[in-house]
Amino acid sequence: MAIDFARIDDDGRMTHQRSGYRPCPTEDDKVAQQRPALSPGASAVVKTVQKIAPDVQTSIAPVLTAPAASAGGSSSGGTMEQQIRELAGRTVPPDAAPGQANPPARREAAKEGDWRADRPPTAWPTFPPDHALAKPTRKRTPSEALALAKEVEDRWKRAESSGDISMRPSADDIDEACRALLTIDSKDAQYPNAWAAFARLQKMSRDIARG
């Protein structure tokens, strides 16, 4: 101390060299002493939050560094574990789960009754394996698929104008035209037209089902 120098013999376990004397404790040491250690459960929650929502890591920092409220003082956020779990509930998407870093991007466009011809979704809706539109169909080009859909629509319009519903295309004809449209990639330039035709054909199917 007299020469402003201190040496610590720790058997070579120091991770980095320190030289010179510093008053003890320093401000950094005080902060480190006040910072509570995370329990294993809280650490697991933090890792899950950071894995699922990496963009919120900076928001977690105040929770990790702020000391928990004492039992006799005001408790605005509860224990550290409670604060972390609350943060996880605010930041983790509801359909995300541990081990699932990215929730599925592809979702069903909307309820069938809400499909609009002038509002194509970003991707085709998906159907369960036992649905009529999930059945395989022969390969067609986008032009061929649109032509088939137009032919079915034209038959429907002729039946409507003549008042003879027996001229309507069958439900199977409409489904086949819809399956053909579903083969058109949602990134194709013809996709908006394909979606518009698909929505109109689905309305025809609902009209047939109602009789």
Side-chain angles (χ1 to χ4, degrees):
M1 299 297 186
I3 59 174
D4 196 27
F5 179 82
R7 180 178 182 277
I8 300 175
D9 185 359
D10 67 337
D11 237 358
R13 290 175 298 176
M14 296 284 287
T15 56
H16 59 277
Q17 183 179 2
R18 296 178 182 270
S19 61
Y21 169 77
R22 294 189 307 167
C24 184
T26 64
E27 289 301 321
D28 292 339
D29 294 330
K30 291 179 181 178
V31 173
Q33 291 173 2
Q34 293 175 356
R35 183 178 301 143
L38 287 176
S39 67
S43 299
V45 173
V46 171
K47 290 179 181 178
T48 300
V49 173
Q50 292 179 339
K51 182 178 180 181
I52 297 176
D55 294 339
V56 303
Q57 291 184 21
T58 55
S59 299
I60 298 175
V63 177
L64 301 182
T65 56
S70 61
S74 61
S75 177
S76 59
T79 65
M80 177 175 290
E81 286 83 354
Q82 291 170 341
Q83 294 179 43
I84 294 173
R85 292 184 187 280
E86 182 182 354
L87 176 64
R90 294 197 306 264
T91 56
V92 177
D95 55 353
Q100 183 180 356
N102 296 313
R106 180 168 178 167
R107 302 177 184 273
E108 194 163 328
K111 293 181 180 179
E112 185 173 341
D114 297 333
W115 289 345
R116 291 272 305 271
D118 58 342
R119 292 183 182 177
T122 57
W124 289 108
T126 55
F127 302 95
D130 58 345
H131 195 282
L133 298 186
K135 295 179 180 179
T137 185
R138 73 179 183 85
K139 181 66 177 176
R140 296 179 175 89
T141 65
S143 298
E144 290 173 337
L146 286 167
L148 176 60
K150 184 177 184 304
E151 189 269 333
V152 172
E153 285 192 79
D154 288 343
R155 287 166 55 191
W156 181 275
K157 290 176 182 177
R158 288 196 295 270
E160 291 295 295
S161 61
S162 65
D164 184 0
I165 62 174
S166 64
M167 296 175 59
R168 284 179 173 179
S170 67
D172 289 339
D173 292 337
I174 295 174
D175 287 344
E176 179 60 22
C178 287
R179 286 191 291 266
L181 293 172
L182 288 170
T183 63
I184 299 176
D185 194 291
S186 59
K187 296 181 177 60
D188 192 283
Q190 292 292 346
Y191 171 65
N193 295 330
W195 169 260
F198 177 83
R200 292 192 297 267
L201 290 172
Q202 285 299 291
K203 184 179 182 303
M204 295 177 196
S205 292
R206 293 192 294 271
D207 289 346
I208 290 177
R210 286 194 296 263

